[in-house]
Amino acid sequence: MKNTQDDFLRRFIFDKADVRGEYVSLRATWETIQERRNYPPHVRSAIGEMTAAAALISATLKFEGTLELQFKGTGAIQLMVVEVRNRKTLRATAKWSKDAGTNDQTTIFESGILAVTIKPDSDANTFQGIVETDNKSIAQALESYMEKSEQIATRFWLESNNQRVVGIFLQKLPGGATSEEDWTRITALAETVTQRELLSLECTDLLFRLFNEETVRVFDKEKLSFECTCSDQKISSMLLSMGREEVWSILKERSSVDVTCEFCGKEYLFSEQGITKLFASSVESNTN
Ligand SMILES: [Zn+2]
């Protein structure tokens, strides 16, 4: 049994400065994500950073819903998707080309698009914003996205190795007379963090190491864990959207339609009988 105790988001604020922060650390959840795919090291570190970033951004949502970060690239990494639901559960996956193992991180991101999608559970509209990665790191791409779309100065520090994903984010609060000064001073302190410190220190030790000259108030941990939202119903509607012709051409080649969830590896098997029933019931519901 994996220990999910250590997977959490943790909000912190500066009592005497107009800056707020969020911290994330994932171990068991990260282990589960890595079990699904044999990620080459560079892909693994990219999807690790994106997982940390998605968790941190989801913590800023003030309503129930899903936050999705999706990267589509023309380089070695073709696709990365991280989805966080209600700040509590997440899932992630990636697709890459064969040369991903040899490329360095910068060429992996040389051209691509990073989309931030927020889907509220209520009837409120889905929001989507897009930023070009343009040789930037995930942190830099998201910082310029937040600056443009939300007009809020934001900084990310994201790290991962094969055991752990860690991230910090700082956001400048609007208002206060000293907010610009606060922001400069506190981001300069955060800037001194090393990769080793992020990956080896625990939350409060890390915050003390960085901000011991400030008054930091740390809130309770909010647990995060891996959970996939795939279901029979979702796979069925995906098959329906592919259309009768395409699904039947798969059936002709094999005796069944076999769909594997990209996120959790669960297999969904549809027999010819099942497919016939599925399309028949969709005709029924369309004519109703
Ligand atoms: Zn799944």
Side-chain angles (χ1 to χ4, degrees), residues 8-12 22-25 27 164 166-168 197-198 200-211 216 218-219 221:
F8 61 90
L9 277 163
R10 202 163 188 186
R11 190 157 73 93
F12 57 95
E22 195 79 43
Y23 171 92
V24 66
S25 170
R27 286 186 166 101
R164 201 177 178 199
V166 178
I168 307 178
E197 286 169 338
L198 273 167
S200 66
L201 295 176
E202 293 309 317
C203 178
T204 46
D205 296 333
L206 181 70
L207 296 180
F208 182 77
R209 144 74 186 92
L210 296 174
F211 307 120
V216 180
V218 186
F219 292 83
K221 292 178 179 180

Side-chain angles (χ1 to χ4, degrees), residues 96-136:
W96 60 92
S97 62
K98 285 198 187 81
D99 55 350
T102 55
N103 278 357
D104 66 358
Q105 185 112 356
T106 46
T107 56
I108 282 174
F109 290 106
E110 73 192 7
S111 57
I113 280 175
L114 191 59
V116 182
T117 310
I118 296 165
K119 299 175 201 155
D121 283 350
S122 66
D123 289 339
N125 288 339
T126 294
F127 165 84
Q128 188 174 63
I130 282 170
V131 65
E132 283 183 32
T133 53
D134 220 8
N135 273 324
K136 295 188 187 95

Side-chain angles (χ1 to χ4, degrees), residues 91 228-231 261-266 268:
R91 60 179 195 165
C228 193
T229 48
C230 67
S231 65
C261 174
E262 299 280 333
F263 290 94
C264 72
K266 188 174 172 188
Y268 292 84

Side-chain angles (χ1 to χ4, degrees), residues 146-209:
M146 298 295 266
E147 185 81 60
K148 267 187 215 153
S149 75
E150 318 260 323
Q151 267 119 46
I152 303 176
T154 306
R155 293 290 313 274
F156 291 88
W157 289 266
L158 312 166
E159 281 298 341
S160 73
N161 58 17
N162 54 7
Q163 274 136 39
R164 201 177 178 199
V165 158
V166 178
I168 307 178
F169 121 135
L170 291 176
Q171 206 162 46
K172 182 177 157 188
L173 294 168
T178 61
S179 68
E180 194 58 49
E181 261 168 58
D182 291 342
W183 179 246
T184 309
R185 186 181 72 252
I186 287 166
T187 50
L189 291 171
E191 200 56 58
T192 66
V193 75
T194 64
Q195 181 184 28
R196 193 189 149 85
E197 286 169 338
L198 273 167
L199 292 170
S200 66
L201 295 176
E202 293 309 317
C203 178
T204 46
D205 296 333
L206 181 70
L207 296 180
F208 182 77
R209 144 74 186 92

